[in-house]
Amino acid sequence: MGSGVSFHQHDEDDDFGIEYDGNGQGVIKRIPIEVKPRGKLGLRSVGSFGRKPKGGSLQSALSVDLENPEVEKIRKDFELYKLSVENETASMRKREQKLEIENKRMRAELQALQKTCGKLRSERDIALEAEQQALERAGTFENDRNKVQRQFKIFREAKESEIQNLLKAKRSLENKLTKISHGLLVDDLDSSSRNSIDNLGGSNPGDWWTALESEPSLGSTTQLQGSAVKGPEFAYSNMELDGPFTNVTKDDWTAAAASLAQVIPARLEVCVSKNIRLYVSAPKDVQTEVDILNKEYIPQLSKLVQEVGRVLVVVHISVEDTETIPTSNFDKAIERQVEESTIFLAFLAETTVSFTQVEYQNGYFKNPGSKPAVFCFRESTGRGVKDLHTEAKQLRQQVQQCDNTTVIDGYTTPHKGAEMAFNELLRLIKLELCTEEKTDADSGFADTEGSELCGSGLWDIHGDYEQLEAFQYAVRSSCQMGFEKYYERLNAHVSAAGPLPPLLISGGSGSGRSLLLAKWLELQQEKSGLMGSLVLYHFVDSCHSTSADPIHMIRRLTAQLFQHVTSPPSLTSDPVRLAEEFPRWLEKVSSKIQGGVILVMDSVDRFEQAEVHLKWLLDPLPVESRVIVSVHEDTCPQSWRSWPTVHLEPLSNKNVKEVLRAEATRLGSSLCPDEESRILTHCRTAATCNPLYVMQLIADVASYSSPEDRGKRLDEVLASNNCVELYMNVVESVRQQHESSHFRGVYKKLLRFLYGARNGLSELEIMTFLPDITWAIWASLYCDLVDRYIVTSRSGIIILAHDQVREAIGELYLAGNDDKCLDGVRESMIDYFSQFLRPGLVTCRVADELPWLIKQLTDKPGLQSCIANLCIFQNLYARGRSAELLGYWQFVGVDKVAMAQSYFATTKKMEEMIGQYDGLVTEARIADMYESLGQFLRDLGLLEQAITPLQRSLELRESSLDPDHPSVAQSLHHLAGLHAQWGKYATAEALYKQALEINKNALGPEHYLVAVGLDALAVLYQKQEKHDLAEPLKRRAVAMKRKSRAMRSNAGHLKAADPLQRRAVHVEELAIGADSPDLARTLNEIGVLYYLQNNQDAAESYFKRSLTMRESMLGPNHPELTQSLHNLAGLYMDRKQYSLAEPLYERALQIRMQHYPVEHPSVASVVKHLALLYKKQGQLAKAEPLYKQSVEIREKSFGANHPSVATALVNLAVLYSQQNKHDAALPLYEQAVSIFEDSLGPSHPRVAETLRNLAKLKFDLGDFETAASLYKRATEIKDSELAYSGKVPSSSSSGETVKNELGVKRPYYADNG
């Protein structure tokens, strides 16, 4: 039969064309098979299909009926399907080809787009870079433009100032020639005329109308009360003054602040110390009185002193303690302790001790009246040792023979003696503290109880007294040899025309930079070279002390600048704002003060980030400012080295010799030629030829009296090649002198404690840490340490005197294995200060030392717990130390928001303790705490966090106090300020108005707080550009502040002036008796001070007392009596009690006419004030001859063409105008205008003021065209002044207005006389 391969193949029979195997062999062909129907073929079911029947053939098995129609149908369907698939495949291939072509095209486009995008990106980067470069160039150009503008302004001001100075010098010479021609002594007349001279309050360019009580305008006739020039008329005042208040006006308390700033910080020989030292002298037989006093009464006195932030230190040296100390310098040690005491208290019975005579001699006999002294003599009940009894008797007799001393005798029991001593001490301490109720004028916002919650009061908030002590410590040195050439450089820098960069004083360690600056300042003050300037200075101690905080320094200097600003704002606590705003205040104040501002900063390289905080030094300084900066030559910032520099060279051999002799003379010693030669031979290097090394060497050598000991000691100290080595030698020498068997190791511990503390330690703290130290031991040790320049005292705190001492102590007692001792020392101090972390006990010492000590140990959890204490926060914030507080929070890693939340949570917890801590925690004090927190957060710009504590403070005050209490108004005022800062003006306005209403009802419509509220509301309106509402409020607030200005923010020298004056009264009473001309003069000065502070009741009391004393001591017609009459009359006139003032002025005029010629300035002063009094009373007929007399006096004194004559002419013309004598007034006005134009220039404000008055006169005469022309010219002068000074003109006048024919508003008379 054959295989399938052998079948004949036909193409038409190959229906599928499908290969069976891979090589094309074995193609299966269709074999015709007869296929029968299933039924016919006998096919089985599906399950048995495919089985071959036995014996069947291939043909029979494969035969199919090809004629079947179903097969044909399937074939056709398959053919159609095949055809469609082929067509679809072909179309897909075509589509694929098209897609490939499109893909290639799009890829090409994509590549082109990518290239274009890359090109655009490159162009964009180039454009951005070009833009950045353009912005940088624009910023540089703008900065250069600003500098050029500022330099031009400074140049213009300098030239104008030079012109003004020349005009002043010209007028001064003319005045002197005129006075000489009238036969008057120039010096005498100048000095005597100071009490009677007038001036506008501010005398600043552009302030010519605001210095008057209202703005002069067309229709207002203004009486000129002073000249705008610094001629013979300076300050308009109702007072006649002596002492530091000469030429001070009540309406210009800034001028008073300037006088006080010149008197208090620079002229005081002894600074007001924080410590009140009570030295108690008591032999052994009266020790019982001392014990009772210490146990029962001293705690009461200490509490009284702590309330004002000061410390009471009781010094008592018992005879038992003196047995174990060296006796070589003991008398000198007692002398030093007595001299440094504030009050001397002596108990005496029948016996004395070896040093009683020394105590009495230095406590009273040596300088009676220098300090209060109280002597308590117990009645004798027996006899002691004969010679001592004789000495006690002699001391009693000697004391009782002295006048003006307090002697308590006749008591028999120790308790009675201690009680009587306490009563006298209480009186003296109150006098020292000047504790009295504050007047309204002295209180800004009402003082609250917040400080009592946290502990003692605040003393020397800005550190002014601390700086004064640093200045005086440097001045005391006699080492200034070779400084003359440096003085010349400093003087040349100050006197040169500005603007000038800072002058840099550089030198090495111990070269005398601080000494040079202090001595130069002292010399300038002695020569009165800086009396016209405001001198600010800052001395830096160690780099860890609070004086090394640049923000604290800037805040202190800003507070001093504010004393010379008419309406100073409150000092912010934001360190960034303080640093940014200080240069602006420096420029503003320096432009107002005649001699400018001189700023001296010593050792500023010890500041942390000095270049950042003092970057304003790199900008052009104001033309009237001079800055002098001292730095160490090795640590001077690089950017400062381009400034003009004075480098302190080592002392020459000649200077070393002069220093040695001067210091030896000061110490009461001398060097033999051989010793001097050896020292000069040794001092050849730069390290041994600086002032500190030489002073330290001679101080140590001079402490040895015998030649043998001195020679031996000289060998030891000459082995030292620099200051540190010398200090190491001296420190060890003092240790060997004072250490004994029971005192071993205490000396090292003392120096370690002083080294480890931030600001040193107080004497009470030293005796707490080292109980072995008694007052006897401390007096002797302290004396040697001070004499060797190892320690010094600053604000009652014992500190290391120099950085070289610190380095020497570190090398001696803290190097190597002993370094762990420093941490132990600081841990001991932390334990000590931590016990005061509770309400009522936290003092400034705790707040200063404790956080810093914890930070040194890097104890972040402990530090966070410490600074989260509300009393620590309150103490630091109240003293303006917010920058330090923020630094602590930054150190522990807490941001400002988390800090705010922590403080609020702590305050909330404290609120739950109301009534605890012996009643210290009250709702009012918690409200104060909330308010402080809110103000602190507001200063930092955390407005959202600040509103909650401020709102809570308001709620507590409303609930605990009367809703109409001024404290509630205070809370409303702070809330309003917060909303205003937030931009919520409507809410702020409502709160301001509510606070104003409360203050008006509670304090009166003219109170200072009402003026503050009006001022704040005016500022709010200005922010909203509602100038029509703001202007009248601003003017009213300024007028009210001038009447009741009381420099509340200046807690330093100004507030200390009043206590110092009253202490002067006490000292004079002790020294010269209760009644004397000198005491009367002092009483008059205190009355003037109270008058300037708007405390008229106190001023009247002192004036009356001075008047009565002068009448009794000098007689009813003495010239000095007229000063008291004049001042008392001025006070009554200020109160508008004209009937009381008139007889006083008339009596003063009568007395002066008897003693002085008619043209004498003292007569002119009374004539002027009496004329003004008559004018205010409406007695114009009486006033007219006095005004005429005033014109005549000034013409005789100063010449017919002097501005003072023009002022008198204007005043007389005003009087004629009010009497409707227009024809008489017209030539006077014209003559005054001519004099002002010739002497002051045609564009001077005085010309404009007189032109306005002349325009008013022409208007009244019906010459409207001339009036309009004059008014236009006056307005142009004023506008030019405004353009120069940058002031905004006022659009309203203080007088009532009506429309006139010219279409302008015509006010009624607004006389400012």
Side-chain angles (χ1 to χ4, degrees), residues 346-363:
F347 290 99
L348 188 62
E350 299 179 353
T351 62
T352 60
V353 294
S354 59
F355 51 86
T356 302
Q357 182 69 35
V358 177
E359 294 175 328
Y360 277 62
Q361 185 67 27
N362 292 279

Side-chain angles (χ1 to χ4, degrees), residues 1180-1189 1212 1215-1216 1219 1221:
L1180 302 183
K1182 286 186 176 182
E1184 182 177 345
L1186 295 177
Y1187 276 116
K1188 290 181 179 180
Q1189 185 179 354
L1212 181 57
L1215 183 70
Y1216 283 149
Q1219 293 175 308
K1221 298 179 180 180

